Amino acid sequence: MARRIHTLAGYIHEYQRSVLNPDDFWSQIAETFHWRKRWDKVLEWEFETPSVKWFLNGKLNITDNIFERFLYTKGDKPAIIWEPNDPEEPHKVISYKELYKQTCQFANALKAQGIQKGDRIIIYMPMVPEAAVAMLACARIGAVHSVVFAGFSANSLSDRINDCSAKMVLTSDGNFRGAKTIPIKDVVDEALESTSSVEKVIVYERTKTPVNMVPGRDIWWHDAIDGISTENTAETMDSEDMLFILYTSGSTGKPKGIVHTTGGYMVYTYYTFKNVFQYRDEDIYWCTADIGWITGHSYIVYGPMLNGATTLMFEGVPTHPHPGRFWEIVDKFKVNQFYTAPTAIRALEAFGNEPLQPYKLDSLKVLGTVGEPINEEAWHWYHDHVGKGRCPIVDTWWQTETGGILISPLAGITPTKPAYATLPLPGVQPIIVDNDGNELKGNSVEGNLCIKFPWPGMLRTTYGDHERCRQTYFSQYKGLYFTGDGVKRDEDGYYRILGRVDDVINVSGHRMGTAEVENAINEHPKVIESAVVGYPHPIKGQGIYAYAICDLSDRSEENLKKEIRLTVSKIIGPIAKPDKIQIVPGLPKTRSGKIMRRILRKIAVGEVDNFGDISTLLDPDVVEKIIEGKDTAS
Ligand code: 7RM
């Protein structure tokens, strides 16, 4: 198989080659694809503006490289195995040929509904194969998809629709999640009350939940494809044409639309999937992420499919109807590579080993984790009890912005080490800097993680606001991409990610800006001001601790906290609900009005002495009052 690394020596060799001559390295990988016109130049870049272009003037379509490329060799191979939320409902197996037909047909349907190359389409759907069809159909005709996690609120959805002026929304009547059925079409209807760009809504029937179909605007998926041809010639795209936008939280209030383009993203997700997971042609690969996150884009849909892999898609949740559900699915389909998040591992570990007992799990060859730092405890449990000590764990570090995995072991090829993402993939050049931007060279150092050279899968801009992209990622440290993560390089040169160094909280692998949550809390009319910090949480990794100054004149503290949680749920979504709320008389602020989160973080974990210098505080007494009230947090 082209471009697969087989040995540790091979890794070292490829890594060196990728640094010495990136153009040769990446063009040899890109050559394994079908290009309608070859690129003129491999790479043009500078990290000031920034401007990054890969495979310049190359012409291609990413779906050509999934379907037309594999049709003769893998047409009958399962592309998607879909397991529904309810174990009683039959699963589906969709071959590459069948997925190709569905993609072409839906691509034609989108065109028939007036969609053209460059139009933005929001996908707000459950984990059903049609969600992948929707993404691929957009890519086929050059429409830009923006998948929004179907757990987000109407308000979050309308913000995203407005930010990219989406012309269409793809959704479903409802979403089965564990024991619940969530009426997501209602959420879309509410979101569309505060948007004006959306002309059409296509609704996939999943739950048979009654919905209100707006005449002239809403159309059922099955009606949209009725009588539509299953043949379609893919649009010719430039390497640097936008493939998708995915919104992600940062340290400011408003989520950013991360933009990925066609050629580089294709090459990068293909290469990283192949090497990190060491996927073999007959393997069944399962990533448990939702397609609303970048992991779902790169490692459920594009990466696996560009490798002609069989990718398992699961509609449900880890613990429904029982905490052995994941292991049941592994055995049912003889899953070989299993990729999940530390938060899921910890949640399942909490049930003990009993739920594992009925299952053999002997098909497993590779285990993966992503989304947040994994603690050693959870790593060992995963390794010993799920992998039975036989399976290497790939702890994959990457971001929405990076498009694909940057630092990770290659399964069975390079060494693993508990809680370490270990080594950069070929083509990835990490650098650690101190707060002044000085490079920390050599081993046994700790600092801010930056990347000093482009890789094909990296973000190109933030939608509609390039300056924000520069500000957020390229301005802290001159000439470097700043990840926002702290990192340690140990005595052997292995990387351990230490978590965010900015105001981003990582709850169960989902990024949340403190400002974003505060803005939502402040929407409650009785909240005067609030400050939010992360604190260690046994299952979620980090929990949200909110300090709020409130008007309690006409309701109980308990009721107000309930209402605040409801408000946050409505504005962002249930995942942003604070785990703890403490009503406080004031917040520790500097004379310039900046909230000293450092102090609030310490109080949240019960460290109530040794605050360092608090003399710059406007009102140092407030700290004492917050400490006194700590037990009222709930
Ligand atoms: C893929 C994804 C990105 C942030 C990132 C880190 C954290 C992700 C790991 C990790 C430690 C890991 N994209 N993170 N993977 N921390 N070890 N293996 O999660 O944009 O949603 O989040 O997640 O802080 O900056 S993301």
Side-chain angles (χ1 to χ4, degrees), residues 153-461:
S153 67
N155 176 76
S156 294
L157 179 59
S158 62
D159 278 354
R160 287 157 174 78
I161 292 170
N162 287 331
D163 188 79
C164 69
S165 313
K167 199 164 164 185
M168 181 181 269
V169 177
L170 308 177
T171 189
S172 74
D173 49 353
N175 185 1
F176 291 128
R177 297 284 291 169
K180 287 187 235 160
T181 302
I182 302 152
I184 62 173
K185 171 64 165 57
D186 291 354
V187 181
V188 172
D189 289 345
E190 193 188 329
L192 294 188
E193 282 169 24
S194 36
T195 63
S196 56
S197 58
V198 174
E199 293 168 12
K200 290 272 161 65
V201 178
I202 300 183
V203 186
Y204 176 72
E205 186 175 58
R206 173 64 189 125
T207 58
K208 301 224 157 56
T209 305
V211 295
N212 169 42
M213 297 292 280
V214 176
R217 186 195 76 181
D218 300 354
I219 168 168
W220 288 105
W221 184 292
H222 50 259
D223 290 335
I225 59 175
D226 189 35
I228 298 280
S229 162
T230 56
E231 278 168 36
N232 171 282
T233 304
E235 189 74 37
T236 299
M237 305 296 285
D238 187 88
S239 292
E240 286 300 335
D241 276 344
M242 228 186 288
L243 177 62
F244 66 86
I245 304 169
L246 185 61
Y247 285 86
T248 190
S249 295
S251 42
T252 57
K254 196 172 149 255
K256 298 178 286 279
I258 304 299
V259 171
H260 286 288
T261 58
T262 306
Y265 180 83
M266 173 181 79
V267 169
Y268 198 70
T269 53
Y270 160 82
Y271 180 75
T272 52
F273 175 80
K274 181 184 291 300
N275 281 292
V276 169
F277 297 101
Q278 292 288 310
Y279 181 86
R280 303 282 156 159
D281 203 24
E282 300 306 314
D283 289 347
I284 311 288
Y285 161 90
W286 180 20
C287 166
T288 70
D290 190 283
I291 48 148
W293 313 116
I294 189 69
T295 309
H297 286 60
S298 302
Y299 299 110
I300 293 179
V301 178
Y302 289 111
M305 290 183 187
L306 287 162
N307 279 275
T310 299
T311 178
L312 195 152
M313 212 174 157
F314 175 45
E315 184 184 36
V317 298
T319 50
H320 177 84
H322 57 81
R325 183 72 169 121
F326 271 5
W327 322 128
E328 178 179 83
I329 297 172
V330 168
D331 271 15
K332 179 173 176 186
F333 298 107
K334 305 209 174 354
V335 170
N336 303 110
Q337 289 89 4
F338 177 72
Y339 189 30
T340 195
T343 189
I345 297 167
R346 287 189 296 263
L348 294 171
E349 183 187 358
F351 288 95
N353 294 335
E354 214 166 293
L356 288 157
Q357 297 313 323
Y359 308 106
K360 297 221 287 277
L361 304 180
D362 57 348
S363 56
L364 289 172
K365 297 196 285 190
V366 175
L367 300 176
T369 85
V370 59
E372 55 183 312
I374 182 163
N375 47 310
E376 285 192 44
E377 225 300 288
W379 194 97
H380 284 292
W381 183 81
Y382 196 34
H383 182 263
D384 297 349
H385 298 285
V386 179
K388 317 282 187 202
R390 295 180 294 103
C391 308
I393 295 179
V394 290
D395 178 348
T396 64
W397 174 82
W398 58 296
Q399 308 177 297
T400 305
E401 294 84 346
T402 70
I405 299 165
L406 294 195
I407 304 182
S408 168
L410 308 183
I413 308 289
T414 64
T416 63
K417 180 169 180 173
Y420 279 74
T422 71
L423 299 170
L425 300 196
V428 176
Q429 301 187 34
I431 170 172
I432 305 181
V433 298
D434 67 16
N435 290 341
D436 301 321
N438 303 308
E439 176 170 5
L440 302 174
K441 295 190 177 144
N443 290 341
S444 305
V445 291
E446 204 178 296
N448 303 303
L449 177 57
C450 296
I451 315 288
K452 65 178 173 197
F453 194 85
W455 62 99
M458 72 184 292
L459 84 164
R460 301 297 193 264
T461 187

